[in-house]
Amino acid sequence: MMPLEGKLQAAGLILDAQGEPRCFWQPSMPDYHDHEWGQPVGSDRRLYEKICLEGFQAGMAWITILRKREAFREAFDDFDFERVARYTERDVERLMGNAGIVRNRAKIVSTINNARRAVALADETGSLASWLWRHEPTAAERPATVDLAYWNGNPASAASTRLSRALKARGWTFVGPTTMYAFMQAVGMVNDHMSACVCHARINAARAAFPRP
């Protein structure tokens, strides 16, 4: 028989100090894993922030972005997209000089562009949240079990591809299918905690109670 440690690793799990199973990556970002990742988000501003930060993360480790998140919030007016939409080239240069954030010109310009696109969507549909949550995948599109094999084999999904295409059609940038799948995981549009992780049931309950915008 496979030892317990081997079974846990195969399932993508670790045991915490209390002996409870959690996703294998929990030790690197315990607070984020336990209290934020997968919790449903309905705030326009926070959804815009998540899209932007996922775009900045492309090619980098998420922990790097997480450590810089407060600096990003300060630099981008707490991701108030109506304010960011009014940024000019002077703001681009200001942000390029900010050592607290990722100083990538294309991603900074994308954040400003996407703010303008967010304003347009909110004006058209009433809120950015209502438009984004229309792209939540159906139950039939979700796996019966979230395990390591599912994680390793699904960097994107049909739903994230649809969302990516819809955003790109409206002029958004840095919103590829893999980035949008990470966004969906982060804001609770899907529950990708391992099925045996103690947080999986909590997120299911939060999703069930969440009023879709």
Side-chain angles (χ1 to χ4, degrees), residues 57-104:
Q57 185 269 336
M60 305 180 69
W62 177 246
I63 187 63
T64 301
I65 302 301
L66 199 59
R67 288 169 177 161
K68 293 176 177 287
R69 181 161 61 176
E70 291 307 317
F72 272 110
R73 286 174 173 171
E74 182 177 354
F76 285 98
D77 285 302
D78 197 28
F79 290 96
D80 179 341
F81 53 80
E82 291 189 351
R83 296 184 68 175
V84 178
R86 297 193 293 271
Y87 281 10
T88 65
E89 183 61 31
R90 177 176 290 183
D91 291 292
V92 174
E93 296 306 320
R94 168 181 62 82
L95 292 162
M96 285 295 294
N98 187 336
I101 66 171
V102 175
R103 290 180 288 182
N104 180 302

Side-chain angles (χ1 to χ4, degrees), residues 6-158:
K7 290 181 179 179
L8 288 168
Q9 290 177 350
L13 298 166
I14 55 96
L15 292 182
D16 64 15
Q18 288 72 45
E20 292 185 312
R22 281 174 159 76
C23 299
F24 67 93
W25 57 273
Q26 189 267 356
S28 63
M29 294 174 278
D31 288 340
Y32 183 69
H33 172 277
D34 290 356
H35 305 297
E36 183 175 349
W37 194 72
Q39 288 287 342
V41 177
S43 160
D44 277 12
R45 187 179 296 192
R46 297 282 77 92
L47 288 166
Y48 165 69
E49 174 188 307
K50 292 281 189 180
I51 289 178
C52 294
L53 293 183
E54 293 293 350
F56 272 104
Q57 185 269 336
M60 305 180 69
W62 177 246
I63 187 63
T64 301
I65 302 301
L66 199 59
R67 288 169 177 161
K68 293 176 177 287
R69 181 161 61 176
E70 291 307 317
F72 272 110
R73 286 174 173 171
E74 182 177 354
F76 285 98
D77 285 302
D78 197 28
F79 290 96
D80 179 341
F81 53 80
E82 291 189 351
R83 296 184 68 175
V84 178
R86 297 193 293 271
Y87 281 10
T88 65
E89 183 61 31
R90 177 176 290 183
D91 291 292
V92 174
E93 296 306 320
R94 168 181 62 82
L95 292 162
M96 285 295 294
N98 187 336
I101 66 171
V102 175
R103 290 180 288 182
N104 180 302
R105 183 177 292 273
K107 293 178 180 180
I108 289 170
V109 170
S110 174
T111 300
I112 299 168
N113 168 75
N114 290 349
R116 295 166 183 162
R117 307 288 77 78
V119 169
L121 265 179
D123 287 346
E124 176 186 337
T125 63
S127 73
L128 179 62
S130 65
W131 188 89
L132 287 169
W133 274 92
R134 293 176 193 172
H135 294 83
E136 179 184 10
T138 66
E141 293 179 294
R142 297 292 298 149
T145 301
V146 178
D147 55 17
L148 195 60
Y150 178 79
W151 256 67
N152 290 339
N154 293 276
S157 69

